[in-house]
Amino acid sequence: MLDDALIVPLFVTTDLPPEAELAEFGELLAETARELGQDGAGYAGFLAGKVFWLDRPVLPAQRPAAELELRFAGMLGYVAAAGPGHTSREVVGDVRRAIGAAVARRYGDVGVAPAVFLIRDQDVRERTPGTALYIDTRDAQAELVTATKSYL
């Protein structure tokens, strides 16, 4: 197991266009964590969690209008940062920048940048909906995967 990995519990929320697919959004989030950091001082990361819709229920009579509205998605999970010297605050900031840039590239301007919050480990376990889709960073460092999956 990697001794110097920092594991941080996260909550991510954002608006998405009405045609967005949840699985694609989850994959986008997971892949943003592969390389974190800025100014050439990058470090390996691994994101694992579950994505879900946070939309309000839509009645059949509301459906045509609702199909034009932005959708609200969320992710609860963990990000692992490789290497010594990272703080939770720095890692969350790096993840926030990476997710914001990736969402803007993929979906364009949806009005508000994604929100990325450090949360309690207990919140990930208690608040993740049973219907949420599992996602993780593919082909990440094996040590980061092992360290993070012990939290799930």
Side-chain angles (χ1 to χ4, degrees):
M1 184 179 272
L2 195 62
D3 291 333
D4 56 3
L6 177 65
I7 312 295
V8 180
L10 292 178
F11 177 47
V12 176
T13 64
T14 193
D15 288 327
L16 297 175
E19 70 278 1
E21 295 180 9
L22 190 59
E24 179 185 24
F25 170 65
E27 183 177 323
L28 179 72
L29 292 181
E31 293 308 308
T32 64
R34 179 175 308 285
E35 183 73 23
L36 298 170
Q38 54 187 358
D39 301 327
Y43 54 95
F46 173 73
L47 179 69
K50 293 187 175 184
V51 292
F52 47 92
W53 293 117
L54 289 164
D55 295 334
R56 61 179 167 74
V58 176
L59 301 172
Q62 299 169 317
R63 196 163 312 273
E67 289 174 359
L68 301 174
E69 294 179 4
L70 293 174
R71 302 209 54 199
F72 193 45
M75 190 279 309
L76 284 162
Y78 299 90
V79 64
H86 302 296
T87 67
S88 296
R89 184 182 189 127
E90 291 167 341
V91 170
V92 170
D94 288 343
V95 171
R96 183 178 295 121
R97 281 185 287 282
I99 288 175
V103 167
R105 273 192 310 274
R106 171 61 186 96
Y107 300 108
D109 181 12
V110 291
V112 175
V116 180
F117 301 100
L118 172 69
I119 60 172
R120 297 177 311 146
D121 178 55
Q122 183 178 346
D123 288 332
V124 175
R125 292 190 177 109
E126 292 177 358
R127 298 181 187 272
T128 303
T131 58
L133 299 175
Y134 176 80
I135 55 108
D136 67 20
T137 307
R138 293 175 299 187
D139 303 320
Q141 278 187 7
E143 296 85 2
L144 291 177
V145 174
T146 301
T148 308
K149 286 195 173 183
S150 67
Y151 285 82
L152 295 171

